[in-house]
Amino acid sequence: MKGNTCLPAIFVLLLFFALKGITAGQQQSELAQRGEYVFALAGGCACHSVPKGTPHTGGREFPIPMAKVYSTNLTADKETGLGQWSDQQIRDAMVKGRHRNGKRLLPVMPYEEYSGMAEEDLNALIGYLRTLKPVRKEIPALTTWLPFYRPLATFVWSALFNRASNTRAKAPLAGVERGRYIVEHVALCGDCHTPRNFLGVPDRSLYLAGSKKGPFGEEIPNITSDKETGIGEWSRTDIAELLLTGTKPDLDNIEGLMAEVVEAGYKKIRREDALAIADYLKSVPPVKNKIK
Ligand code: HEC
């Protein structure tokens, strides 16, 4: 008799744990899905892919003053990627510029901008990174002739320029504020479109005003609303269309680095987010800065 009353109880208990397991799994995949969207807003973290190589496996070479540095393998490979990193370690790298091994990351990794990313977006993004299929790829170490380059460069940078942002729990949902949030803390348009001085420090007086010699020596257009030298003549839908399709109002295809971030990410974002970015760009003060 006793056994008979126990059985249903065991059954209910098993069902409970099975359901709990299923909901935990569901939560995990919902998180990863939201993270995939944040990843798209972030231009597919395209600096961590070599053009035509296996995506997200890092190893892209970045020439910086007196050195060359290589981006990290973001896949879940245990030895060469993020497989052994805890969520907290990934977060510290993204927002504090601190490597799991204790070293400081060079500011080529835009952790200052990412420090303003909303907690919910950051968590989701990390959840998504966990789903990247492990791919083994050794990444070369920093190369430089200057001894103590990393500690020196990161010390000087943090002492003089470090501008961490305030953290926030949630991202703005709509409007110009959402556009500003995406541009400044997720999509990082300024990373390419704002010129830098010889030390690699962005020149805030030329915010989004382009550069004759941007990353990898590419010419980067002025995207402020200046009518003559910027994109003041573009409508908000022109700008959104470019982000979503890679086509300019004159029907030319976008090229170079912009094509990479469109292809790897911006193309997959929601139309309302592309329009929010456009509305924010239109609210940025026009700066006269002739590039072409
Ligand atoms: C990785 C570097 C990079 C990032 C990040 C980036 N851009 Fe660009 N962008 C470029 C380059 C390079 C071009 C020039 C492409 C060409 O000549 O076809 C460009 C072109 C453009 C143009 C066309 C301007 C013109 O006059 O033709 C617009 C608009 C633009 N970007 C907006 C944005 C916005 C908005 C963001 C952020 C959501 C962004 N870009 C992020 C590198 C970048």
Side-chain angles (χ1 to χ4, degrees):
M1 276 308 265
K2 233 182 175 183
N4 286 349
T5 46
C6 256
L7 271 178
I10 291 173
F11 178 72
V12 170
L13 214 64
L14 282 178
L15 194 68
F16 171 75
F17 282 114
L19 285 177
K20 210 172 148 193
I22 291 170
T23 34
Q26 260 173 359
Q27 276 169 357
Q28 203 60 34
S29 73
E30 272 168 33
L31 185 78
Q33 257 175 24
R34 279 196 290 115
E36 189 172 6
Y37 187 72
V38 179
F39 194 75
L41 281 176
C45 301
C47 295
H48 292 265
S49 296
V50 174
K52 301 202 175 81
T54 314
H56 324 313
T57 53
R60 187 155 191 176
E61 179 185 298
F62 287 84
I64 51 175
M66 294 172 285
K68 281 185 190 139
V69 65
Y70 300 83
S71 57
T72 306
N73 179 349
L74 296 184
T75 74
D77 184 55
K78 285 208 158 52
E79 276 164 50
T80 62
L82 302 181
Q84 305 260 27
W85 293 50
S86 68
D87 288 0
Q88 186 63 44
Q89 286 168 336
I90 298 180
R91 165 191 238 91
D92 284 349
M94 281 196 63
V95 304
K96 294 192 186 146
R98 188 144 310 267
H99 192 280
R100 169 171 183 256
N101 64 15
K103 287 189 188 150
R104 301 293 312 263
L105 298 182
L106 291 160
V108 184
M109 166 64 192
Y111 54 86
E112 292 178 9
E113 286 98 323
Y114 288 147
S115 69
M117 199 188 283
E119 285 297 320
E120 55 174 1
D121 285 348
L122 204 49
N123 281 338
L125 185 59
I126 294 171
Y128 173 65
L129 289 177
R130 298 280 181 217
T131 69
L132 296 180
K133 199 168 77 30
V135 180
R136 199 187 149 75
K137 180 168 160 197
E138 293 283 357
I139 304 303
L142 167 80
T143 52
T144 176
W145 49 265
L146 196 71
F148 305 109
Y149 183 89
R150 185 183 292 274
L152 271 175
T154 50
F155 174 78
V156 170
W157 179 275
S158 352
L160 299 178
F161 315 112
N162 205 11
R163 309 194 340 153
S165 302
N166 293 332
T167 49
R168 60 177 113 204
K170 295 203 168 288
L173 287 177
V176 174
E177 265 317 296
R178 173 138 182 102
R180 178 206 303 278
Y181 166 75
I182 296 173
V183 168
E184 291 194 341
H185 300 299
V186 191
L188 311 193
C189 314
D191 233 35
C192 293
H193 286 278
T194 303
R196 295 163 186 271
N197 70 13
F198 72 102
L199 283 174
V201 182
D203 180 348
R204 297 290 298 183
S205 70
L206 290 174
Y207 179 58
L208 298 180
S211 165
K212 284 202 162 58
K213 221 167 167 223
F216 304 113
E218 272 189 37
E219 207 169 68
I220 312 279
N222 178 345
I223 56 167
T224 70
S225 52
D226 184 54
K227 287 216 159 33
E228 250 174 76
T229 63
I231 55 169
E233 303 286 355
W234 293 38
S235 70
R236 69 196 281 266
T237 39
D238 286 342
I239 300 174
E241 253 350 277
L242 173 77
L243 297 173
L244 296 170
T245 65
T247 313
K248 297 200 238 179
D250 61 7
L251 301 182
D252 251 4
N253 281 337
I254 202 78
E255 288 166 14
L257 287 171
M258 186 72 191
E260 282 184 43
V261 280
V262 167
E263 204 47 49
Y266 303 157
K267 216 171 128 169
K268 298 171 208 152
I269 71 178
R270 290 189 286 265
R271 194 170 180 83
E272 25 336 339
D273 276 346
L275 287 168
I277 293 174
D279 289 341
Y280 169 63
L281 285 190
K282 293 206 154 280
S283 78
V284 167
V287 179
K288 202 168 282 309
N289 188 33
K290 190 161 167 52
I291 304 298
K292 284 193 187 168

